[in-house]
Amino acid sequence: DWMVAKVFPFDDQEKADEFWKEKDEFWFDYIADSGDGMMATYSIAYLCMKTLKLKHPGTESTIELPRGKFLFVGGDTTYHLADYATLHNRFHIPFIWAHEDLGALVDAARRPIFAIPGNHDYYDMLDGFRRQFRLPFPSKPDEGDYSHGVYGPQLSIPGFERFQETSYVALRLPFEWMIWGLDTEVGKIDERQRDFFKSVNKGQIPDKLIVATSAPTTVFGEFADRDDEKCAK
C-alpha cells in the first residue's frame, strides 16, 4: 500500500525534445546483479558517474560514451541479502568511494536513479530496496555529508536523486520510446501493476518499448523457463 505509481518523463519539455532531436541519441546507464564484490561495484559506479572517452583502435580519434541521463538498477542489488547493512557495505559505500575519487569530474547535476527488485531484494519484504531506491519521506532531495557512510534511515547515493515510489516503474523517453520495469518476483505481475501499465500511454502498448525484468525472458534464443538450468547459468 505504500506504492504510488506514475510515469517519469524525460521528453516532456519542447526544448529538451529539440535538443535530443539534434543529438539523435539518448543515453542511460543500466546495471544489474551488482553488490557482490565491493571493488567490482566501485568500478561500475565510477563509470556511471562520468563520461567515458575511448580511442578507436589504430587511430587518434576518440569516441565518447556520455554519462547516462539516469541510472537503472535491474535487480539483485546486493548478495546474498539486500538488507540495510549489506546494501550499505556492498552498494552504498562503493558509490560514495567513486564519487569522492572522481571529485570535480562529476557534474553537479544529480541524475535520477530507478530500480526493480530481484529475488535477493525481496529479503524482509523489500525493506532494503525501499530504503535504497524509494523517494525519501518527507519528500525532499537527497542531500548531506556522505563521507561517513550511513546516515538517517535512507541510503542516499551522492550524484543521484530518487523519485520512485513503487517496486515497478515506467519511464517515457525521447523518440517515442518507453521503458517498463516490472516486479515479477512472484512469477507474474500483480493486479496493481496490470492496472498501472494498462493506464499508461493512453491504454496502448507503445510501438517502441523496452521491458526490464530481473529474470531473463529469453535464454539462448528460446523463451526461458524459470526452472530450466540454463537460466541459472
Side-chain angles (χ1 to χ4, degrees):
D1 288 338
W2 55 264
M3 297 187 186
V4 180
K6 56 186 175 183
V7 178
F8 298 92
F10 289 86
D11 67 342
D12 60 340
Q13 298 179 2
E14 291 185 8
K15 291 183 179 179
D17 285 343
E18 290 301 319
F19 173 78
W20 296 119
K21 287 176 183 177
E22 291 180 7
K23 297 280 289 185
D24 197 32
E25 60 187 39
F26 180 84
W27 291 78
F28 63 90
D29 295 319
Y30 189 108
I31 66 176
D33 293 340
S34 53
D36 190 4
M38 293 179 72
M39 292 310 299
T41 305
Y42 166 85
S43 299
I44 296 299
Y46 194 96
L47 292 174
C48 290
M49 292 188 184
K50 68 185 295 290
T51 294
L52 181 64
K53 293 184 178 181
L54 301 175
K55 279 191 175 182
H56 279 294
T59 70
E60 294 300 320
S61 60
T62 60
I63 182 173
E64 186 175 276
L65 306 180
R67 182 187 178 191
K69 299 305 293 182
F70 61 85
L71 173 61
F72 196 106
V73 182
D76 288 349
T77 313
T78 57
Y79 292 101
H80 289 91
L81 302 177
D83 60 349
Y84 187 96
T86 308
L87 283 163
H88 169 60
N89 290 327
R90 297 192 176 190
F91 190 79
H92 186 214
I93 286 180
F95 270 83
I96 293 173
W97 287 344
H99 188 270
E100 290 177 347
D101 289 347
L102 282 166
L105 294 177
V106 181
D107 61 63
R110 290 179 179 272
R111 298 292 200 270
I113 185 171
F114 302 101
I116 53 175
N119 61 314
H120 293 273
D121 295 298
Y122 255 88
Y123 175 77
D124 201 14
M125 297 305 294
L126 290 176
D127 179 67
F129 179 91
R130 177 177 58 82
R131 292 173 184 270
Q132 184 68 77
F133 299 111
R134 189 189 181 193
L135 177 73
F137 183 83
S139 179
K140 63 179 181 180
D142 293 327
E143 58 186 11
D145 175 12
Y146 302 93
S147 60
H148 300 294
V150 170
Y151 82 62
Q154 303 294 334
L155 293 165
S156 300
I157 297 177
F160 295 95
E161 186 173 354
R162 293 167 294 178
F163 296 90
Q164 189 170 339
E165 295 184 79
T166 54
S167 60
Y168 49 94
V169 66
L171 310 178
R172 190 180 303 280
L173 309 183
F175 312 114
E176 299 179 349
W177 279 91
M178 291 199 76
I179 293 179
W180 289 4
L182 310 182
D183 177 357
T184 57
E185 174 54 24
V186 297
K188 58 184 179 181
I189 64 173
D190 59 22
E191 183 178 355
R192 285 180 175 135
Q193 290 185 75
R194 289 198 303 271
D195 291 344
F196 170 67
F197 287 114
K198 283 181 180 179
S199 70
V200 304
N201 201 48
K202 299 179 180 179
Q204 301 296 316
I205 297 175
D207 292 330
K208 302 176 181 179
L209 177 63
I210 300 170
V211 178
T213 66
S214 63
T217 58
T218 307
V219 179
F220 299 120
E222 300 177 358
F223 284 116
D225 182 338
R226 66 184 301 158
D227 296 323
D228 194 325
E229 290 184 1
K230 291 185 294 185
C231 291
K233 298 178 182 178

